[in-house]
DNA sequence: CGTGCCCTTTACACAGATTTTACACGCCGC
DNA sequence: GCGGCGTGTAAAATCTGTGTAAAGGGCACG
C-alpha cells in the first residue's frame, strides 16, 4: 500500500486529510512538526509527502529544499499545501521542485485526485510489481508462471529469467553481454551461442507469440515496443 | 530550444501566451483548432503542449485522450487551460493524465513557472538522453527505433549508427573520414563509396524527410541546422 | 549408481547486411 | 557550353550474424 506523510500544524486539517487518505486506500501518517518527519523518513520512506508551507518550527520551503538535497529523497514526490493564495508562494514552491501545490481550502476529492496524478507520474516506483503483461503474455514472478494467450507454458529456470528480464525492459534492446551479466550473472569471455539458444527455445514454447521477441541484428534482443 | 504548442481559440490569449513564451526563451507556436495541432505534431513534435479545454471543433479533453493513446505522444507533457473553475473539470483533466492545469485568468509569470516545473519533471524521468529529435525525426537509442513523422522506420545497424552520429552533431558537417572513424570504427585506406551508399539508403527509408540529410559537396554530410 | 533434464558448446547453412564495382548525372569553374 | 570531379544509384560480390540441430557435460533426484 502507498504510504503518504502529511506535515501540517493545524490539527483539524491534518486529521481530516489523514482520514480522507485512509478511506481512499492509502496509508497515511500526519506530523505536526518537521523534526518528526525527518525521523520518520529514514525509518519508513513514504511514496509521497504533503507539505504545508507555513509551519511553526521549520518553513515548508526549507523542508522541501532539504528533501531535494538529500539523495534518498531527491525524487520523492512532494505536494505543497498553502493557505496563502499569493502567486509568489506558488512560484517559489514550484521552482524549488515541488511536484504540485494545492491552495487551501481544498476539497478532499481534489486532493486525492492530485495525489493520484502525481503518484502516477512518479511511476509508482514504490509499488512492487509482480505481474508483467505484454501482448497476451503474462508473467508472474510470485507464482513463477507464464501465460501465453491464456494458456500456461512451462519454462525452465533460465528461460523464465530471460523472459522476465526482457519484459522488465519492454521495448528496450538488450545486448547479449547485458543479458549474460543480468540473467547468467557473470562475465563471459569469448563468443557463445548460449543466449541465442535460450531465445530459440523461448520462442518455440511461446508458439505464435514467439515473434514478440525481436532480434536486433548486431545488437541484441528486445520484446514488444 | 524547447518548443511549445498552444491550442487556444481566443486570439488575444493565444497571442499573449505565444509572445510571453518567446520572451521567456521558448519556441512557441499557437493553433486555433485541433486539426492544426495534429498536423504539426507529426511534423515537429514539441516539448510541451498547452491545451485549452473549451475549443470549437474538438474538445480539449478529447485531444488529451488522443494524445495519451498514441505511443509517440504518450509521455508528452500537457498542461490544460480552463476558463471554468469547476472542480469537475479539474479532476477530469488530471485523471486523464494532464501534467498540470491552469485556471484562467492566469498570470504570465505563473504560466512560465508551471511550464518550467512540468518540463523539469519530464526531464528527470529520463536522466540520460535517449531520444534525439530533429524536425519530426525521433531517434531512440534504448529501443533502437527511429520515428519519421510519427511512423517507425526500420534501419539496419550501420544505418542506425550513421543517423545517430549525424543527429548527435546536428548542423555540423561531418567528413566521410570522420564518419568512417566514428561509425565504422577504423581507418579506411583508399577511396570508397561506402558512406554514400548508406546515406543513400537512409534517405530512401526516411522518405520525404530524407532531404534533411544535406550533402556538402567536397566536405561531407550534415543533418538539420 | 543410473536416469533424465537442463545448460552449454559446436558446427554449419542461409538470409540479410555490407562492401565493392561500375557507371550516370549534376555541379562548378572556365 | 565544356570538361572534370564528386556524388547518386544500381547491381553484383562478399561477408557476417543469427537460427537451428545435434551432441556432450553436469547436476539433481530417485
Amino acid at each position: 500500500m502507498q504510504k503518504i506523510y502529511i506535515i501540517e500544524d493545524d490539527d483539524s486539517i491534518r486529521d481530516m486529510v489523514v482520514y480522507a487518505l485512509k478511506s481512499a486506500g492509502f496509508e497515511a501518517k500526519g506530523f505536526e512538526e518537521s523534526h518528526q518527519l525527518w525521523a520518520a523518513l529514514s525509518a519508513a520512506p513514504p511514496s509521497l509527502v504533503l507539505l504545508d508551507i507555513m509551519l511553526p518550527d521549520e518553513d515548508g520551503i526549507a523542508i522541501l529544499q532539504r528533501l531535494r538535497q538529500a539523495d534518498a529523497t531527491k525524487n520523492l514526490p512532494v505536494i505543497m499545501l498553502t493557505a496563502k493564495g499569493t502567486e509568489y508562494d506558488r512560484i517559489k514552491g514550484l521552482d524549488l521542485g515541488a511536484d504540485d501545490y494545492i491552495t487551501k481550502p481544498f476539497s478532499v476529492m481534489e486532493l486525492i485526485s492530485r495525489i493520484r496524478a502525481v503518484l502516477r507520474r512518479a511511476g509508482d516506483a514504490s509499488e512492487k510489481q509482480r505481474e508483467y503483461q505484454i501482448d497476451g503474455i503474462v508473467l508472474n514472478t510470485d507464482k513463477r508462471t507464464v501465460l501465453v494467450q491464456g494458456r500456461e507454458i512451462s519454462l525452465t529456470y533460465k528461460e523464465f529469467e530471460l523472459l522476465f528480464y526482457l519484459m522488465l525492459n519492454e521495448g528496450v534492446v538488450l545486448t547479449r553481454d547485458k543479458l549474460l551479466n543480468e540473467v547468467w550473472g557473470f562475465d563471459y569471455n569469448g563468443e557463445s551461442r548460449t543466449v541465442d539458444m535460450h531465445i530459440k527455445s523461448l520462442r518455440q514454447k511461446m508458439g505464435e507469440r514467439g515473434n514478440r521477441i525481436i532480434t536486433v541484428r548486431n545488437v541484441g534482443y528486445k520484446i514488444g515496443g
Side-chain angles (χ1 to χ4, degrees), chain A:
Chain A
M1 203 190 310
Q2 311 236 52
K3 194 180 299 176
I4 298 179
Y5 287 167
I6 305 99
I7 302 90
E8 162 65 69
D9 57 320
D10 184 327
D11 291 348
S12 63
I13 295 182
R14 193 175 64 245
D15 289 344
M16 180 201 69
V17 170
V18 168
Y19 175 78
L21 289 177
K22 282 184 177 167
S23 10
F26 294 105
E27 196 182 329
K29 203 177 257 182
F31 302 107
E32 194 174 348
E33 294 173 333
S34 65
H35 63 85
Q36 298 171 317
L37 171 69
W38 300 119
L41 271 180
S42 50
S47 305
L48 184 144
V49 172
L50 291 173
L51 195 53
D52 190 13
I53 240 176
M54 297 291 288
L55 289 172
D57 57 342
E58 191 178 4
D59 187 71
I61 292 174
I63 295 177
L64 180 56
Q65 283 179 312
R66 271 181 68 180
L67 283 172
R68 286 294 176 256
Q69 270 157 21
D71 263 329
T73 56
K74 190 172 282 171
N75 297 310
L76 184 64
V78 174
I79 297 180
M80 303 288 278
L81 305 176
T82 170
K84 302 203 283 181
T86 67
E87 194 176 294
Y88 176 73
D89 277 332
R90 294 182 170 189
I91 290 171
K92 206 167 171 192
L94 280 167
D95 275 345
L96 286 169
D99 294 85
D100 205 345
Y101 69 89
I102 304 186
T103 311
K104 298 186 221 172
F106 51 83
S107 84
V108 167
M109 280 308 296
E110 183 176 354
L111 177 67
I112 304 285
S113 175
R114 298 256 206 139
I115 287 174
R116 292 227 168 93
V118 169
L119 283 177
R120 175 156 33 78
R121 280 197 301 255
D124 300 334
S126 50
E127 192 134 353
K128 250 185 207 162
Q129 205 175 344
R130 300 192 158 76
E131 246 187 35
Y132 299 80
Q133 287 205 17
I134 297 175
D135 222 356
I137 305 160
V138 185
L139 181 145
N140 185 307
T141 54
D142 270 358
K143 302 201 250 175
R144 232 154 203 285
T145 54
V146 176
L147 270 62
V148 177
Q149 295 173 296
R151 193 183 310 278
E152 181 168 349
I153 61 174
S154 87
L155 299 182
T156 69
Y157 176 75
K158 283 272 157 48
E159 286 162 2
F160 185 89
E161 294 292 313
L162 181 57
L163 180 59
F164 171 55
Y165 195 63
L166 282 169
M167 289 181 78
L168 201 57
N169 295 281
E170 177 176 2
V172 176
V173 181
L174 303 166
T175 64
R176 290 177 175 70
D177 267 348
K178 183 99 184 152
L179 288 169
L180 279 169
N181 281 326
E182 298 293 335
V183 177
W184 275 256
F186 52 86
D187 274 86
Y188 226 74
N189 54 341
E191 275 299 306
S192 163
R193 294 274 78 76
T194 305
V195 179
D196 302 38
M197 201 61 233
H198 287 265
I199 291 282
K200 178 209 155 199
S201 35
L202 255 182
R203 280 175 172 155
Q204 204 164 284
K205 290 189 180 177
M206 286 164 68
E208 51 179 274
R209 279 287 186 281
N211 61 8
R212 291 303 187 285
I213 300 178
I214 298 156
T215 305
V216 180
R217 201 162 216 271
N218 238 319
V219 186
Y221 298 96
K222 69 171 171 176
I223 196 166

